Amino acid sequence: MSDSTEIMLDEEVVVAEIDSEPDSEEGAGKLSGQRLLESEGDAAADYLEALLDITDLDGDIDIDVEGNRAMVSVVEVKAGDLHLLVGDDGEVLDALQELTRLAAARETGERSRLMLDIGGHRAARRAALVEVAKVAIEEARKSGEPVQMAPMTAFERKVVHDAVAEAGFISASEGEDPKRYVVIMANQPNLG
Amino acid sequence: MLEEALAHLVRGIVDNPSDVFVSEREQRRGKCLDVRVHPQDMGRVIGRAGRTATALRTVVTALNEGRGVRIDFLDVAER
């Protein structure tokens, strides 16, 4: 029995230092809310800036907070300049986002969910998806049947869910990654 | 440039950035980059189900204009 007792992990707890006024007792010693998102954005920008420097690529970095996420965008100076860092299907962008999240997490000590966009790829993809979602919502409305959409990444499903919610409909995700897809429910929720 | 870019990408995500060394080898099939990291950072650079290692390969291959690059991860003590 004693063999199966819990093993204490001697993981170091990384406590981010805050150099200005301390937060309320609840968040003492930890970055929280807006400040956490800002320092995530700053860490991400440093990481990407140095990469652009090494690779001799031109780009301007914008940091923003969207909802409860840090949003970091590398803006092209000349259209197409950064296609290399996006890839044909955005696969390089996704890989860079993953690495940038890890770099930000190392700085803040908290897991990062930041969004990275490069050359407006996600913004364009989002606009296109919203159009696709509109067509599907219309179909659900007309047919009165649920409409199943094509498999999408988590980011893409989020865009569709948001568009569906904005149209006053309800949607759900079904299936398993990488085949997970959105279903738009036919009935408009009773808002009364 | 590839070596430097990879070293930067790895240094940013590990606990012991000064223990990161990247060297390049030419192989019959193309480039191979050896990445040496602190033993405690090995899990970091590989990631759950190899996710981080895959992300590093994807980015480095893109920077090499789509020509595949092999990346081997080694403990800094290995020769």
Side-chain angles (χ1 to χ4, degrees):
Chain A
M1 265 316 261
S2 61
D3 290 355
S4 63
T5 51
E6 273 183 90
I7 297 160
M8 283 285 280
L9 294 171
D10 63 348
E11 273 181 298
E12 264 183 274
V13 178
V14 182
V15 179
E17 280 179 66
I18 301 174
D19 52 11
S20 48
E21 80 281 358
D23 269 323
S24 63
E25 60 284 358
E26 191 219 317
K30 274 183 118 187
L31 289 172
S32 60
Q34 189 77 4
R35 196 179 294 157
L36 173 65
L37 296 178
E38 282 167 13
S39 64
E40 267 185 63
D42 288 345
D46 289 346
Y47 188 64
L48 294 165
E49 189 85 63
L51 180 68
L52 292 176
D53 227 39
I54 293 167
T55 54
D56 223 0
L57 293 168
D58 280 336
D60 295 325
I61 299 178
D62 283 347
I63 309 172
D64 207 351
V65 171
E66 231 176 68
N68 56 355
R69 279 183 207 230
M71 178 82 205
V72 180
S73 309
V74 186
V75 182
E76 289 176 327
V77 174
K78 207 164 85 237
D81 264 1
L82 299 175
H83 178 74
L84 198 65
L85 298 182
V86 175
D88 290 335
D89 301 311
E91 75 283 0
V92 184
L93 172 60
D94 285 337
L96 264 178
Q97 175 174 278
E98 178 85 21
L99 296 171
T100 305
R101 283 178 174 180
L102 295 174
R106 198 202 57 181
E107 291 301 313
T108 62
E110 297 283 330
R111 199 170 151 201
S112 169
R113 295 166 61 239
L114 71 83
M115 273 287 210
L116 174 64
D117 197 3
I118 298 179
H121 177 84
R122 287 201 203 283
R125 181 85 185 111
R126 182 181 303 205
L129 272 171
V130 168
E131 290 310 309
V132 171
K134 277 185 188 159
V135 171
I137 293 163
E138 193 49 29
E139 193 186 325
R141 196 183 63 77
K142 278 196 180 137
S143 69
E145 300 285 328
V147 173
Q148 187 177 322
M149 303 197 61
M152 292 176 189
T153 65
F155 161 75
E156 295 166 340
R157 293 195 306 271
K158 170 88 168 67
V159 172
V160 173
H161 286 308
D162 288 350
V164 171
E166 199 171 307
F169 282 75
I170 287 179
S171 55
S173 291
E174 289 177 13
E176 296 294 323
D177 274 325
K179 292 275 173 80
R180 203 160 160 79
Y181 56 88
V182 175
V183 178
I184 300 172
M185 305 304 170
N187 299 321
Q188 209 156 355
N190 193 343
L191 299 170
Chain B
M1 181 275 265
L2 279 188
E3 280 170 81
E4 208 190 328
L6 180 58
H8 167 69
L9 290 171
V10 173
R11 283 190 185 118
I13 63 170
V14 297
D15 288 331
N16 305 281
S18 55
D19 285 338
V20 174
F21 302 98
V22 178
S23 55
E24 190 180 310
R25 280 188 285 143
E26 277 307 326
Q27 286 194 318
R28 260 171 303 163
R29 299 212 180 148
K31 269 184 196 145
C32 176
L33 296 172
D34 286 337
V35 183
R36 287 180 165 75
V37 298
H38 191 284
Q40 284 171 4
D41 285 326
M42 205 49 129
R44 280 259 166 120
V45 294
I46 290 170
R48 198 156 49 93
R51 222 178 130 123
T52 309
T54 302
L56 289 166
R57 287 191 182 101
T58 301
V59 174
V60 171
T61 295
L63 293 176
N64 197 34
E65 272 146 27
R67 290 185 301 272
V69 181
R70 186 173 149 179
I71 302 179
D72 284 350
F73 295 95
L74 306 161
D75 182 315
V76 79
E78 287 176 60
R79 290 269 140 197

